[in-house]
Amino acid sequence: MPEGPLRVVVLVSGSGSNLQSLIDEVHGRGAAEIALVVSSKGDVPALARAERAGIPTAVVALAGRAREERDAELADVVAAAEPGLVVLAGWMSILTGTFLDAFPDRVINLHPSLLPAFPGLHAIRQALEWGVRYTGVTVHYAEEVVDGGPAILQEPVPVMYGDDEEALTARIRAVEHRLVPEAVRLFSAGRVRRDPADRRKVQILPVEVE
Ligand code: GRF
């Protein structure tokens, strides 16, 4: 077991309901500590959630500059918080290797579908339009290919006849709010292992019995 709580930096862009699930379920409960919340936009509800919980915040926007330049600043801001894990929880901006290479195997993303189905924007709408019976939630390693890294946790969510985007979003959010804290707890317990021989494979290690 690693010593002390896992230091987590959460990257957000909007409502921050998944950040809230981390604040409520894992922050300051021994396993993990949210050290910093970074937003790609100012004045979003996610920042207010962090402030209410007494968590330091920063805004690092793209704002007309090159992505690499923004990502170099972002890497510095995040590195200063000394994270063991970086969680993209509704971060709505493409990250380049300039950021991702600074935190190898320590950046995870949340996506509202069973990847590789429906990557990119509007995954929930895409699932409804396609007419699938199940969609779901994926927590995966973030890589330069958007929504392309290997899965750590996945859970199917049924699509009911007559669902609109709002109804399906609510069902998916409820699962996200369970899986994101679970992923952080698994990292904190040192139970997530990316196979060095085949980096597409992720092993969830069993709980160690004393
Ligand atoms: C979630 O659906 C997540 O899967 C996607 O963006 C959404 C963020 O929601 N990447 P919130 O800001 O956590 O409420």
Side-chain angles (χ1 to χ4, degrees):
M1 271 282 273
E3 294 292 313
L6 178 72
R7 288 178 68 79
V8 180
V9 171
V10 185
L11 271 54
V12 296
S13 298
S15 106
S17 68
N18 285 287
L19 167 66
Q20 191 66 52
S21 74
L22 289 173
I23 292 170
D24 295 342
E25 303 290 325
V26 297
H27 178 58
R29 288 172 180 255
E33 202 66 53
I34 303 174
L36 176 68
V37 170
V38 184
S39 179
S40 62
K41 293 180 197 155
D43 199 28
V44 291
L47 287 173
R49 292 180 194 269
E51 279 154 20
R52 270 201 301 277
I55 299 165
T57 63
V59 176
V60 181
L62 192 55
R65 55 186 168 156
R67 229 172 253 288
E68 276 76 14
E69 191 187 320
R70 188 276 312 268
D71 283 5
E73 183 196 339
L74 185 63
D76 286 347
V77 168
V78 171
E82 301 182 335
L85 185 68
V86 179
V87 181
L88 312 180
W91 172 264
M92 296 292 287
S93 186
I94 292 168
L95 289 169
T96 64
T98 305
F99 178 80
L100 294 169
D101 294 349
F103 308 98
D105 294 341
R106 276 188 291 153
V107 185
I108 65 173
N109 183 44
L110 170 68
H111 187 74
S113 77
L114 285 180
L115 290 170
F118 313 127
L121 289 175
H122 309 303
I124 297 173
R125 195 182 309 160
Q126 288 183 59
L128 281 171
E129 283 170 359
W130 205 95
V132 289
R133 305 301 298 258
Y134 285 90
T135 180
V137 173
T138 303
V139 178
H140 64 96
Y141 281 106
E143 293 191 342
E144 275 201 74
V145 178
V146 174
D147 301 324
I152 298 161
L153 294 175
Q154 284 192 301
E155 189 170 310
V157 173
V159 181
M160 305 299 190
Y161 181 77
D163 267 354
D164 59 12
E165 207 172 327
E166 194 184 335
L168 184 54
T169 297
R171 203 172 303 120
I172 284 177
R173 284 286 187 275
V175 174
E176 288 184 342
H177 297 165
R178 192 157 40 69
L179 286 201
V180 175
E182 188 182 332
V184 171
R185 281 191 290 262
L186 287 170
F187 272 93
S188 160
R191 293 180 54 205
V192 183
R193 179 181 170 273
R194 194 164 177 180
D195 187 341
D198 180 354
R199 293 177 47 75
R200 294 298 310 177
K201 301 276 186 304
V202 177
Q203 184 184 13
I204 304 298
L205 301 167
V207 180
E208 272 181 39
V209 183
E210 303 259 319

